[in-house]
Amino acid sequence: MLTKFETKSARVKGLSFHPKRPWILASLHNGVVQLWDYRMCTLIDKFDEHDGPVRGIDFHEQQPLFVSGGDDYKIKVWNYKLRRCLFTLLGHLDYIRTTFFHHEYPWILSASDDQTIRIWNWQSRTCVCVLTGHNHYVMCAQFHPSEDLVVSASLDQTVRVWDISGLRKKNLSPGAVESDVRGISGVDLFGTTDAVVKHVLEGHDRGVNWAAFHPSMPLIVSGADDRQVKIWRMNDSKAWEVDTCRGHYNNVSCAVFHPRQELILSNSEDKSIRVWDMSKRTGVQTFRRDHDRFWVLGAHPNLNLFAAGHDSGMIVFKLERERPAYAVHGNALFYVKDRFLRQLDFHSSKDVAVMQLRSGSKFPVFSMSYNPAENAVLLCTRASNLENSTYDLYTIPKDSDSQNPDAPEGKRSSGLTAVWVARNRFAVLDRMHSILIKNLKNEITKKVQVPNCDEIFYAGTGNLLLRDPDAITLFDVQQKRSLSSVKISKVKYVVWSSDMAHVALLSKHAILICNRKLESLCSIHENIRVKSGAWEESGVFIYTTSNHIKYALVSGDHGIIRTLDLPIYVTRVKGNSVYCLDRECRPRVLTIDPTEFRFKLALVNRKYDEVLHMVRNAKLVGQSIIAYLQKKGYPEVALHFVKDEKTRFSLALECGNTEIALEAAKVLDNKSCWEKLGELALLQGNHQIVEMCYQRTKNFDKLSFLYLITGNLEKLRKMMKIAEIRKDMSGHYQNALYLGDVLERVRILKNCGQKSLAYLTAATHGLDEEAEALKATFDPEKETVPDIDPDAKLLQPPPPIMPLDTNWPLLTVTKGYFEGSIAPKGKGGQLAVDPAVENAGADGWGEDAELLLDEEGFTDAAEGFGEDGTGRGGEEGGGWDVEEDLDLPPELDIGSGMPGGAEEGFFVSPSKGNSPAQVWCNNSQLPVDHLVAGSFETAARLLHDQVGVVNFAPYKSLFLQAFARGRSVYQALPCLPAMYGYPQRNWKEAGLKSGVPAVGLKLNDLIQRLQHCYQLTTAGKFEEAVERFRIILLSIPLLVVDNKQEIAEAQQLITICREYILGLSMETERKKLPKDTLEQQKRICEMAAYFTHCSLQPVHMILVLRTAVNLFFKLKNFKTAATFAGRLLELGPKPDVGQQTRKILAACEKTPSDTHHLNYDMHNPFDVCAASYKPIYRGKPVEKCPLSGTCYCPEFKGQICRVTTVSEIGKDVIGLRISALQFR
């Protein structure tokens, strides 16, 4: 059972599917009737007029009506378009159990607890017939789908079949009396012949809750409180019980026939829905709920959908999935229909059956995988218990008769899913969730253990996609490893594009589009179920939901192409055709309009010529496209085809196109438009439009200020006059201040009663007559004459030197692609310079003006000289006479050749200079200079080429240290971000282009560190000492030295570090060796002997030789021990050590022979292999480390050096480079 939709509500007592729309009515125990859209999963409406439970509910087949009957004894007829109850039918005397419309006549059938069944005419709104005869509550009554029959079920334990042909004849025959057509006025309860009982079916032991006719056969099904479902057959004369389905363990509340299959569905108060096989009378499936009893079942008249109402809501469900199994390859679609495999050719639309499938599975084919190389298919079948799932392997016959195709023998095995992974191999996900790889004979070739996985999908040859509950993993079957993974929950289908570059992962409500490596490109969420999808040839993913065909671009844009009545499964998209299969497995072709997604795709891919073509020719106008263009930053394109002035205005503002905005503003002529246009024009310095906008909005203050800053004194005086007329004292005074008009200010102040201020103004500015006149008006007793400041300074607005009567000059820029193409010719582009002129001065170059230079001023040779590389302007056969530099007149350098150059004010932004770090890289081949500049990649390349470094991990801290020393940081101003200084080591002579960085690491620092390493060695901390020696060794290629002596010292430092690292590592290794057998003791002695051949400091060599002497003495190799003792005494050890050694020497000389033969010849010079710790005698083949010079046996070539841990043994390199001298 596949649940499609579930609701939570009060107990559901009645259900009805709409015949055409995806709607269902649910009547509830609390009196509400709900109308749901089960496809969108939304509540559309609710109707709440009944008092108490509503048990009967039914949609009309054609009209926008439904009927409901409730425990308030009322039958209500509703119009769902008007969303109200049209009328109420009264007459029943007790609860109403069911209400149904007749499929043809304007009748409603109702069953009630008053023991009657009534037929009502909903057009005349009267009761036309009462069916009496039951002697207990009538629980259910239904019309026959095609005949004049009614079936009813009652708690009197009977099911009755009534013949209502008399009613039909009486009410609808041509000769009926007028009054009869309107209905029976006084209903005679006894003795009317309109409806007669035809059959009484007795057999249930308890009350019967439901009875229903079969849609096409003369059968009835009933369910009762005796927990049984009975099937009855009838003919004209009698009816009899055929069989009983037993299994429910509580009252059966409802039972119905499946509209298209030989099945019965029943539900019960035992909280289960059961599906019975009609022919076998056995239960096929059972679905249980934990806590909810079931009360009612509904079947959709035309689709494979059912609904069941229970204590806490309802469920809409299907018994099995209706998705056809199909596979597409090239121009062919393979799909399964009615136990045949069929092939459809997309080009010729030829649809033939290619083979018959063997029967035996009661479940439909779940999925299919096609192998074009072997012309074979894998068909997977899922059982309700997943563990019983199987797959079949068939080879499709080459030439079969389409009328009667062959039924080849297939190979069947158990497995959840089978998918081809190569030409002759397929993968099977078995019930243990491991993957088996099988061959064409269905034999297992290998088993692959995979991480947690519950489904597999095809992912190209040799690969699979593995699904776990919350992710998809790309798995390589050959190498048995995961390549990548992406988070997405419960993927149901996977669709690859034809070139395998993109994949769409489809889950119930989401789509994730990824590239080949499973990196997520975009994800889309849908509220409705996603059904299927296919890639269009241009790389757009076309997918379907339950009710739409939609598109998705890889960039994440998506939208609706068209709506669907019923779900379809897309198989192929080509041009404007969508090839698909419907749920009946019929191939169909739908036409779509691809303009919108092609338009967006062209925009995303920057194919502007295509965009332009579509803008001009396609009917693309729509708010969504305009909004889309605006959002993506192409308002000028939208501007081209928008006619609505308001939209044009806002788009023009966004583009900064004042001309179009002005046109639109004149048409719209409202205040806010003028204000917005004023702001835009002010930003562009177009003060003539600004002035116009301020005039339109009567914004006098801003207008005065505009005249002041543009120096237009004449208009400023006019503004002063206007202010005076408007009696705007403040504005009047302000304008007088702007103009520096003292007399006017005195007059204004006098007029508005500010006598003291007027006097002060006049007296301060030396207008004595005015001042005296004003002084005379003061009353000396009441008013005081203000004092005049003797140090007053004159404040006068500066006179405009150059009144600005033209708009501010604008920089000339190249038009965008669209503006250039869309702008009408000869208009609107006065400032745009012709692109050909932009790049080169036209006069000076003459014929060669087509030489297009890039930003840096260089030209690409292939562009400069046509395709074949010969000069365009050269004479015939002139050869390559291009070497000599042209002596160009200097004025050409500043583009003076451009016509009208000076007047147009053509602006070229300066090109960005190189940072000091870039200069350092260009000037130096030393790795450290590149590190300090932050160019780790080039530094790494130099180290690789010079000293063979291949493992850079140990260098990480040294790299970062060097980089950190390359900058000094200082604060310029408090609010600005920090500035960088770039210290240089050649700062005295370096110019802009020849600097090299100061390097913090010096040779002397490393030599000082060497002393610390010696101390660690003396103290016996060998491992720590090796680490420190190695850091010094790795730091040497990061030095910069000035003279040959220092280069030699650095080389010597490498040798010291190498000898110590080799010797100490060997000694550490020796101490770990076991000493149990003679061979092991001999090996220990050999390694001690090799250690004495490392060149160490005397103090350390004494320690090494002492060890060797002791070991050889114990081994009774006295001859060799004596030579070691002699070497030790030559080094002048401390007295006590010397005394001990002399004793050993004396003992050895008594028996000067070696008991055991060792791999050690002190007289033959040798090097020690740092990997195997064995001697390599002179003349034997040897490989060396390019950085440290450590020796190795030839078999270690290509491995990483044990001493440096970074370089490759035996690599061919340039050699250590730490000074500029080495490059001369």
Side-chain angles (χ1 to χ4, degrees), residues 1178-1222:
R1178 188 175 290 168
K1180 290 278 182 353
V1182 61
E1183 292 291 347
K1184 293 197 172 186
C1185 161
L1187 171 54
S1188 62
T1190 316
C1191 298
Y1192 289 91
C1193 301
E1195 67 258 27
F1196 295 106
K1197 182 174 181 175
Q1199 296 185 14
I1200 286 184
C1201 170
R1202 310 296 195 272
V1203 171
T1204 63
T1205 69
V1206 298
S1207 46
E1208 183 187 320
I1209 299 166
K1211 184 167 171 56
D1212 201 13
V1213 295
I1214 306 169
L1216 181 69
R1217 294 286 183 270
I1218 52 173
S1219 170
L1221 300 173
Q1222 293 170 298

Side-chain angles (χ1 to χ4, degrees), residues 511 524 526 532-533 541-545 548-552 558:
I511 295 175
I524 296 163
E526 289 288 346
S532 67
F541 185 61
I542 306 295
Y543 64 99
T544 62
T545 61
H548 285 123
I549 300 182
K550 298 188 163 189
Y551 67 85
H558 57 101

Side-chain angles (χ1 to χ4, degrees), residues 866-883:
E867 291 304 306
D868 48 1
T870 52
R872 285 184 196 159
E875 308 90 3
E876 299 268 329
W880 296 95
D881 50 356
V882 197
E883 297 91 337

Side-chain angles (χ1 to χ4, degrees), residues 269-311:
E269 294 177 42
D270 65 8
K271 304 172 191 163
S272 73
I273 301 175
R274 289 174 188 256
V275 183
W276 312 86
D277 185 317
M278 268 169 67
S279 50
K280 302 194 184 110
R281 278 50 164 190
T282 53
V284 185
Q285 289 167 292
T286 305
F287 313 112
R288 297 183 195 284
R289 280 187 83 83
D290 295 339
H291 307 296
D292 302 314
R293 298 166 296 176
F294 283 104
W295 297 105
V296 65
L297 266 174
H300 195 288
N302 341 331
L303 305 175
N304 289 326
L305 275 180
F306 299 91
H310 53 76
D311 280 337

Side-chain angles (χ1 to χ4, degrees), residues 728-748:
D728 173 6
M729 286 294 180
S730 155
H732 190 176
Y733 185 76
Q734 211 167 1
N735 283 325
L737 263 178
Y738 288 161
L739 284 162
D741 189 335
V742 184
L743 273 170
E744 190 66 26
R745 297 214 299 271
V746 173
R747 194 164 71 79
I748 296 165

Side-chain angles (χ1 to χ4, degrees), residues 184-328:
I184 304 161
S185 41
V187 177
D188 183 1
L189 291 184
F190 306 103
T192 53
T193 55
D194 298 347
V196 280
V197 176
K198 197 170 179 187
H199 312 294
V200 177
L201 311 177
E202 296 177 314
H204 283 291
D205 304 337
R206 296 274 178 86
V208 188
N209 290 317
W210 198 268
F213 287 114
H214 191 282
S216 54
M217 288 155 61
L219 296 174
I220 292 169
V221 65
S222 61
D225 288 350
D226 58 6
R227 306 173 186 183
Q228 294 173 2
V229 175
K230 287 188 185 287
I231 305 168
W232 317 78
R233 186 178 278 277
M234 59 180 181
N235 57 22
D236 280 348
S237 55
K238 60 176 183 170
W240 63 98
E241 183 181 331
V242 180
D243 217 326
T244 305
C245 302
R246 293 180 176 83
H248 281 294
Y249 46 90
N250 206 334
N251 305 343
V252 180
S253 41
C254 193
V256 295
F257 288 107
H258 191 297
R260 274 172 298 287
Q261 294 178 22
E262 295 279 289
L263 297 173
I264 292 170
L265 285 87
S266 65
N267 64 12
S268 153
E269 294 177 42
D270 65 8
K271 304 172 191 163
S272 73
I273 301 175
R274 289 174 188 256
V275 183
W276 312 86
D277 185 317
M278 268 169 67
S279 50
K280 302 194 184 110
R281 278 50 164 190
T282 53
V284 185
Q285 289 167 292
T286 305
F287 313 112
R288 297 183 195 284
R289 280 187 83 83
D290 295 339
H291 307 296
D292 302 314
R293 298 166 296 176
F294 283 104
W295 297 105
V296 65
L297 266 174
H300 195 288
N302 341 331
L303 305 175
N304 289 326
L305 275 180
F306 299 91
H310 53 76
D311 280 337
S312 57
M314 64 150 176
I315 48 174
V316 176
F317 62 96
K318 290 201 296 199
L319 291 183
E320 58 192 17
R321 77 206 273 276
E322 298 172 273
R323 184 190 182 87
Y326 61 88
V328 179

